[in-house]
Amino acid sequence: MKIIIVGAGRIGYSIARELSRERHEITVIDCDDENIEYVANTLDVYTLNGNGASYDILKEAEAGRADLLIAVAQADETNLLACLTAKKLGVRHTIARVRNRDYIKQASILKDELGLSMTINPEEAVANEISRILRFPAASKVESFANGKAESVEIRIGPNSPLAGLQISDFHHKFTDNVLVCAVSRDKDVYIPRGDFVLKAGDRLNIIGAYKEINCFLKKNNSVSRGIRSVIVLGGGVTSFYLVRQLINTGISLKVIDKDESCCAKLKSVFPKAGLVLADGTRASVLNEEGLSSADAFVAATGDDGDNIITSMYAASLGVKKVITRIKEGHIIRMLVDSSLDSIIQPSSIATQRIVQYVRHMQNAYDSNSIDALYYMFEGRIETLEFKINSTFPYLNIPLKKLHISKDALIASIIREGACIIPGGDNMIRSGDSVIITTSRIGVSRLEDIMEAQR
Amino acid sequence: MSYRMIGRIVGRVIGIIGVLMVLPLIVAAYYGESIRGFLVAIGAAAVLCGALLLLTRSGHKSMFSKEGFVSVSISWIIMSVIGAIPFIVEGEIPNFFDAFFETVSGFTTTGSTILENPELMSRGLLFWRSFTHWIGGMGILVLMMAIVPLSEQYSMYIMRAEVPGPEAGKLVPKVQHSSRILYLIYVALTLIEVIFLLFGKMPLYDALVHSFGTAGTGGFSTKLLSIGHYNSAYIETVIGIFMIVFGINFNLYFLLLMKKVRRVLHSEELWFYLAIVAASVAAIALNIRPIYGTFGTALRYSFFQVTSIISTTGYSSANFDMWPEFSKMLLVLLMFIGSCAGSTAGGIKVSRIMILLRSARSEIKHLLRPRSYNSVMMDGKEVNRGAVHCTLVFFFLYILIILGSILLISLENFDTTTTVTSVITCISNVGPGLSMVGPAGSFAAFSGASKVLLSICMLMGRLEIFPILILFSRSTWRRRSRF
């Protein structure tokens, strides 16, 4: 595909790097000489020096013939204007980074009005990632589908787990009907389990369901002794803002430490219930006083990578169960080879992942626009896809047990009116549903592809 | 320094040279000549290529600008050694230094020769000699990147080291696609020239050989009198026009194909280049008119010689060594200038000359009015200061190398004209100089050491100094422990 990237900062650079590896034809536009020279020297992409929102530059970049424009410059206004101008020139899809808190409420309006295919807010994406790790501390990987209506977690079956030796058909009787084992990785193979599949200790399972149900299941399964109930967040910036917004109603008690009064004031005005501490959280005495040693989790999200690393190391040394460190610079992460920090979050890499995932799905579904999202599981050997169903789908209103679904695929859940349904044989697919499937077949682009010829 | 990465690149280049040698081998076989020389060379290339690729099979593949420059220079030196093998094995140029000089002169598209009379050589070897011009013109590493994709990162370093000009730009996002487009334009233009020459009743073999020489702006001819041999105004005009064509930035042809005519017409370098050609043709025609009688004949010889020298090809239709002093000096100055950046020609390049002139002007303006803001503009855009600085340093090094080489060549104790023009013609990749190395002479009289020195000058000219300087710089080869 022909892709134009506006902005060659951290995110722009890493998107350009990932996408050029996937053999896309990329043009990077930035107005900073140094940035653009670095890109031209190190990546196999075309570079243009100038304002990415200007008509002339976009014309020179042949936006009219491009498939996608990704605007990730510093200013939201530049990004939106770039998308708007490119759209007028004839680009097929646009993605804009919109990060300003003031625009949150109008984000969806902007998206529709400007015809954007996607907006990305890196800080919010980071907050999502952190909150998911906090909510499922036992799971090694968490993905969410359909705007968080369904989540999937990856867990490993321990030697004494009640899951070991269990047949999938008995799984529902013993646990719950509302979660589904949708993929299993054993040794070097991956399986889409059918009813007669028997689980073994050491298997890695991918489980899908609504957040509450999954949490319930994880508790029953004893895979975590106690969830995370108290979190100390260092730094009251934009990321913390979104994190508070997500966690405030989950029953997890939060404490945000920041030394800047205006930061605290901003948080307090939006979240009156949030616990705020006005102090320099990089001091051990402050952290101790606020009860770091008894907290379940510590999130270091100040603007300074160094502060985040040092305080996280301190928290880990005190035995805090889950320590999450936000680090902006990739080169700093590369130097942290030998450290006790296990949950490191890099904002640019998260934003890049989201966008690259989107581009992959665009690539996969070049002619069919039905794929809504695509995720890779078990190192890319299993794909989980989300489809929007419209009235042209040929198998509407047929009970699933009457459909012949191919052996390498599974309908994992149906999202209907905001609720996640784990489908049984009597459920039907209706127009307007979102259907999530997992498959070990690569390159499925339509839901029909997993249906075998009907008799 | 990542020797593995350098090994991989050099190995691939050698492999490609081996494959390309099959063409002259077929020509030699067709004319019933000995193919032993080519077989030995292809064998050597295969063994060396295999060994290098096998040795560097695994290991990390990181590559930075240093590795890029070093692998480009080493590739050019090694391919010249391999290219020299057929001449030595066949015994037609038995001396190694002679054969090496001839091959470097071929690959760097210089066209200086040590042969007194090329008509005595076998046709297969003459074909190979001219074919090296064609390969070297657009560049072997550009060809390599068009065929095998390099680990995409840092491939720009290689492209920049090999494509002439102050700022090598890509045409399209992928290096591989850019290289392919360049080669397609190159092949197409060469074929068109062959067809035009065939119309002028030139035999196919001669048409091919002379088109290779023109396309690469090299200048090896198979005839003693070069293009003068044919004594045809048509052939001279065709070759003259194509020499101008191959001296123009290839990016402009791509823009033409993309129907962006306006951007082509706005290229200041193109107009400046054509203006220099027109002015020089007129000046020399007036100057040599007494020799040839009519203005028309003078114009014909003047046009051919000016295009031949400014495109750094080096063909001749007349012995310009016999021309008046003014014409000879003007031709020497044209050698310095060369053609456009991004073409197959040598010399300092028109765009660099423009940047030099304009920065001189802006400096003078600045001295007159210290508070005025002056910048160097090209095609309506400001040239950034880094590029201006780099051009100034390039020019200084160019002159420095010429002066140093003149001093060393003077040990041969030839006359001043020979000494000075032999160096200038080599570093500018033109071919003939004046006096002993004039169109009627050759470089045969030089000693082995001088031939090596001139070979290095030719490589410096073709690769634009920096890659070769980096190869010979001490800090490139220092061990890591000593930084």
Side-chain angles (χ1 to χ4, degrees):
Chain A
M1 283 196 291
K2 283 188 188 303
I3 301 174
I4 299 171
I5 298 174
V6 175
R10 267 192 291 265
I11 294 183
Y13 182 84
S14 75
I15 292 173
R17 187 184 54 206
E18 292 306 317
L19 292 180
S20 79
R21 276 190 193 145
E22 298 184 9
R23 323 274 320 139
H24 295 291
E25 290 181 26
I26 293 168
T27 304
V28 177
I29 308 175
D30 196 295
C31 49
D32 185 272
D33 288 352
E34 236 172 88
N35 281 351
I36 214 74
E37 204 180 313
Y38 185 63
V39 172
N41 279 335
T42 52
L43 300 180
D44 191 7
V45 301
Y46 191 76
T47 51
L48 273 176
N49 196 339
N51 179 352
S54 90
Y55 180 84
D56 288 341
I57 294 282
L58 284 172
K59 186 112 191 169
E60 202 182 334
E62 297 186 328
R65 288 199 285 176
D67 299 291
L68 173 67
L69 177 121
I70 303 171
V72 285
Q74 278 301 319
D76 291 351
E77 291 79 1
T78 310
N79 294 334
L80 292 172
L81 190 57
C83 287
L84 189 67
T85 314
K87 203 84 198 177
K88 285 274 172 271
L89 279 166
V91 73
R92 287 182 58 190
H93 296 276
T94 49
I95 297 177
R97 168 161 87 176
V98 182
R99 54 141 50 119
N100 193 328
R101 265 185 280 184
D102 303 340
Y103 302 151
I104 301 174
K105 280 188 189 144
Q106 69 212 69
S108 61
I109 302 170
L110 280 173
K111 194 177 157 194
D112 294 342
E113 285 294 313
L114 301 181
L116 304 177
S117 308
M118 175 187 181
T119 53
I120 177 112
N121 181 338
E123 280 78 15
E124 194 178 11
V126 168
N128 283 339
E129 194 73 23
I130 294 174
S131 80
R132 261 184 260 138
I133 294 176
L134 291 175
R135 285 181 293 154
F136 304 107
S140 47
K141 205 177 164 203
V142 187
E143 294 281 5
S144 85
F145 303 94
N147 297 324
K149 300 295 185 310
E151 317 232 6
S152 88
V153 299
E154 207 179 292
I155 60 167
R156 183 179 284 278
I157 302 181
N160 303 320
S161 163
L163 286 172
L166 195 69
Q167 197 168 342
I168 289 289
S169 52
D170 295 332
F171 178 86
H172 297 297
H173 305 300
K174 207 162 175 186
F175 292 97
T176 158
D177 272 347
N178 297 322
V179 300
L180 183 75
V181 179
C182 56
V184 180
S185 154
R186 178 180 295 166
D187 301 326
K188 281 175 183 163
D189 296 314
V190 289
Y191 305 91
I192 300 287
R194 321 300 296 189
D196 55 354
F197 190 88
V198 181
L199 299 172
K200 279 205 297 193
D203 285 356
R204 272 155 72 206
L205 307 185
N206 207 294
I207 294 171
I208 200 162
Y211 161 64
K212 271 187 189 157
E213 304 294 343
I214 286 191
N215 221 3
C216 206
F217 163 75
L218 288 175
K219 268 181 199 157
K220 259 194 201 167
N221 184 27
N222 277 338
S223 57
V224 60
S225 51
R226 197 169 72 97
I228 291 202
R229 299 211 185 120
S230 56
V231 180
I232 290 185
V233 179
L234 188 63
V238 188
T239 308
S240 306
F241 172 86
Y242 291 113
L243 188 59
V244 172
R245 197 170 72 152
Q246 295 195 19
L247 293 182
I248 200 144
N249 292 321
T250 54
I252 296 175
S253 77
L254 264 177
K255 203 178 259 182
V256 180
I257 305 179
D258 200 296
K259 61 181 167 188
D260 185 56
E261 200 169 341
S262 66
C263 268
C264 288
K266 237 183 224 169
L267 281 172
K268 197 77 194 168
S269 66
V270 186
F271 310 110
K273 283 195 283 178
L276 293 170
V277 176
L278 178 62
D280 183 358
T282 55
R283 290 164 194 264
S285 58
V286 172
L287 291 172
N288 291 340
E289 198 183 324
E290 297 306 326
L292 180 62
S293 54
S294 56
D296 293 329
F298 175 75
V299 178
T302 69
D304 187 303
D305 286 349
D307 284 351
N308 290 344
I309 293 169
I310 301 282
T311 50
S312 296
M313 285 177 164
Y314 179 62
S317 75
L318 288 181
V320 176
K321 264 197 293 186
K322 199 82 194 176
V323 177
I324 300 171
T325 319
R326 189 185 70 171
I327 302 177
K328 282 189 218 150
E329 297 287 354
H331 58 89
I332 291 184
I333 298 176
R334 233 175 294 155
M335 288 189 283
L336 275 175
V337 206
D338 190 29
S339 79
S340 49
L341 309 178
D342 57 344
S343 294
I344 290 174
I345 303 244
Q346 190 192 4
S348 65
S349 100
I350 287 173
T352 304
Q353 264 176 38
R354 295 272 179 282
I355 288 173
V356 168
Q357 220 158 43
Y358 181 85
V359 174
R360 279 190 198 133
H361 117 232
M362 252 180 82
Q363 176 76 14
N364 279 13
Y366 209 91
D367 34 21
S368 87
N369 280 322
S370 59
I371 298 187
D372 224 40
L374 166 80
Y375 301 90
Y376 293 98
M377 290 168 171
F378 298 137
E379 292 81 44
R381 286 176 296 169
I382 298 274
E383 282 185 0
T384 302
L385 302 115
E386 188 184 327
F387 294 96
K388 269 257 159 48
I389 305 299
N390 55 29
S391 54
T392 61
F393 181 66
Y395 306 114
L396 286 175
N397 304 322
I398 303 174
L400 291 182
K401 62 184 173 195
K402 290 197 178 162
L403 292 173
H404 298 271
I405 295 164
S406 69
K407 281 211 171 77
D408 54 8
L410 183 85
I411 295 188
S413 56
I414 300 173
I415 312 290
R416 184 175 300 155
E417 284 149 17
C420 170
I421 302 166
I422 299 298
D426 298 323
N427 288 92
M428 298 182 267
I429 295 174
R430 293 197 196 145
S431 176
D433 287 354
S434 282
V435 174
I436 297 168
I437 67 158
T438 55
T439 172
S440 55
R441 200 197 307 174
I442 304 297
V444 172
S445 63
R446 297 174 310 162
L447 187 52
E448 292 93 302
D449 292 352
I450 63 159
M451 308 288 182
E452 283 174 358
Q454 307 294 311
R455 268 151 284 178
Chain B
M1 182 102 97
S2 165
Y3 293 102
R4 278 184 208 281
M5 200 62 215
I6 297 172
R8 285 170 85 82
I9 294 173
V10 175
R12 284 180 186 177
V13 167
I14 295 170
I16 291 174
I17 287 292
V19 172
L20 289 172
M21 271 191 172
V22 172
L23 202 60
L25 184 141
I26 293 169
V27 173
Y30 175 79
Y31 286 110
E33 293 161 359
S34 158
I35 54 168
R36 205 162 47 101
F38 291 115
L39 285 180
V40 172
I42 292 171
V47 169
L48 208 58
C49 165
L52 275 171
L53 291 187
L54 217 64
L55 279 174
T56 60
R57 199 175 21 172
S58 54
H60 72 123
K61 296 169 190 166
S62 66
M63 170 151 164
F64 299 98
S65 62
K66 187 160 76 172
E67 281 82 2
F69 283 125
V70 170
S71 44
V72 169
S73 340
I74 292 183
S75 296
W76 277 76
I77 292 172
I78 293 189
M79 75 192 207
S80 301
V81 172
I82 288 177
I85 293 175
F87 298 114
I88 302 168
V89 174
E90 294 292 348
E92 301 202 14
I93 307 179
N95 182 311
F96 170 77
F97 292 112
D98 288 352
F100 181 72
F101 179 90
E102 197 75 6
T103 320
V104 170
S105 169
F107 278 126
T108 58
T109 74
T110 307
S112 301
T113 180
I114 50 94
L115 295 174
E116 306 280 0
N117 184 359
E119 288 173 33
L120 302 175
M121 290 259 281
S122 58
R123 298 188 137 210
L125 286 177
L126 281 179
F127 185 88
W128 169 236
R129 198 172 75 120
S130 292
F131 193 47
T132 54
H133 277 333
W134 195 83
I135 299 168
M138 192 49 79
I140 184 79
L141 285 119
V142 175
L143 178 62
M144 182 190 84
M145 288 191 291
I147 302 170
V148 271
L150 212 61
S151 55
E152 67 287 335
Q153 280 191 5
Y154 301 102
S155 44
M156 258 327 269
Y157 285 125
I158 291 187
M159 188 132 176
R160 198 165 300 155
E162 197 173 56
V163 175
E167 278 174 82
K170 278 196 242 181
L171 308 167
V172 291
K174 291 254 168 262
V175 166
Q176 190 176 14
H177 298 167
S178 293
S179 330
R180 279 189 188 157
I181 291 169
L182 284 177
Y183 258 95
L184 280 178
I185 296 173
Y186 194 45
V187 170
L189 286 175
T190 312
L191 283 178
I192 295 172
E193 187 187 350
V194 171
I195 292 165
F196 269 105
L197 289 179
L198 288 176
F199 273 123
K201 308 252 162 28
M202 202 189 242
L204 178 64
Y205 176 87
D206 293 21
L208 278 173
V209 163
H210 287 102
S211 296
F212 289 155
T214 318
T217 67
F220 277 148
S221 174
T222 49
K223 303 295 177 199
L224 180 62
L225 295 174
S226 190
I227 304 300
H229 173 89
Y230 300 97
N231 197 15
S232 148
Y234 171 81
I235 287 176
E236 282 167 32
T237 316
V238 168
I239 292 184
I241 288 170
F242 271 94
M243 286 191 291
I244 297 180
V245 164
F246 282 105
I248 292 172
N249 192 337
F250 275 54
N251 291 8
L252 297 185
Y253 298 126
F254 177 70
L255 289 176
L256 268 187
L257 286 177
M258 296 281 102
K259 303 201 177 79
K260 290 180 181 164
V261 184
R262 189 175 295 177
R263 272 181 65 189
V264 175
L265 294 180
H266 281 169
S267 165
E268 294 179 14
E269 185 185 21
L270 175 66
W271 292 115
F272 200 76
Y273 170 60
L274 295 177
I276 297 173
V277 172
S280 311
V281 168
I284 290 183
L286 285 173
N287 190 236
I288 61 173
R289 193 181 150 192
I291 305 178
Y292 294 100
T294 66
F295 186 71
T297 322
L299 198 64
R300 168 182 156 190
Y301 288 113
S302 162
F303 172 73
F304 187 84
Q305 215 48 63
V306 166
T307 52
S308 166
I309 295 295
I310 197 168
S311 69
T312 73
T313 309
Y315 283 140
S316 58
S317 61
N319 188 353
F320 55 82
D321 202 28
M322 303 303 197
W323 287 0
E325 206 59 29
F326 171 77
S327 298
K328 287 199 279 187
M329 278 331 287
L330 188 55
L331 287 177
V332 170
L333 289 182
L334 292 180
M335 286 183 188
F336 270 106
I337 297 173
S339 296
C340 303
S343 69
T344 60
I348 291 173
K349 304 284 165 340
V350 173
S351 61
R352 283 210 182 88
I353 298 288
M354 290 170 78
I355 291 176
L356 288 171
L357 288 173
R358 287 172 185 191
S359 57
R361 190 176 58 188
S362 106
E363 192 61 35
I364 289 168
K365 270 191 192 165
H366 183 72
L367 288 174
L368 285 175
R369 292 169 59 202
R371 278 195 206 89
S372 66
Y373 179 80
N374 298 298
S375 59
V376 178
M377 306 283 283
M378 272 285 260
D379 296 339
K381 283 182 193 157
E382 185 177 338
V383 181
N384 74 45
R385 286 178 191 270
V388 173
H389 180 77
C390 194
T391 307
L392 293 169
V393 171
F394 177 88
F395 182 71
F396 163 72
L397 286 173
Y398 206 85
I399 300 299
L400 190 72
I401 289 162
I402 289 178
L403 295 179
S405 306
I406 287 175
L407 189 66
L408 289 173
I409 295 292
S410 67
L411 289 170
E412 298 271 358
N413 209 18
F414 296 141
D415 63 288
T416 309
T417 317
T418 306
T419 311
V420 172
T421 58
S422 66
V423 170
I424 294 173
T425 196
C426 279
I427 196 167
S428 298
N429 298 146
V430 177
L434 295 172
S435 186
M436 273 174 65
V437 293
S442 83
F443 285 71
F446 286 83
S447 69
S450 295
K451 279 172 188 152
V452 171
L453 177 69
L454 291 173
S455 300
I456 293 171
C457 279
M458 291 191 266
L459 284 169
M460 288 219 184
R462 173 61 182 82
L463 300 178
E464 310 230 294
I465 298 179
F466 293 109
I468 298 288
L469 276 190
I470 285 167
L471 184 69
F472 289 129
S473 120
R474 215 153 53 96
S475 62
T476 310
W477 300 100
R478 264 186 208 159
R479 289 187 183 199
R480 206 178 301 159
S481 56
R482 286 167 57 203
F483 286 100

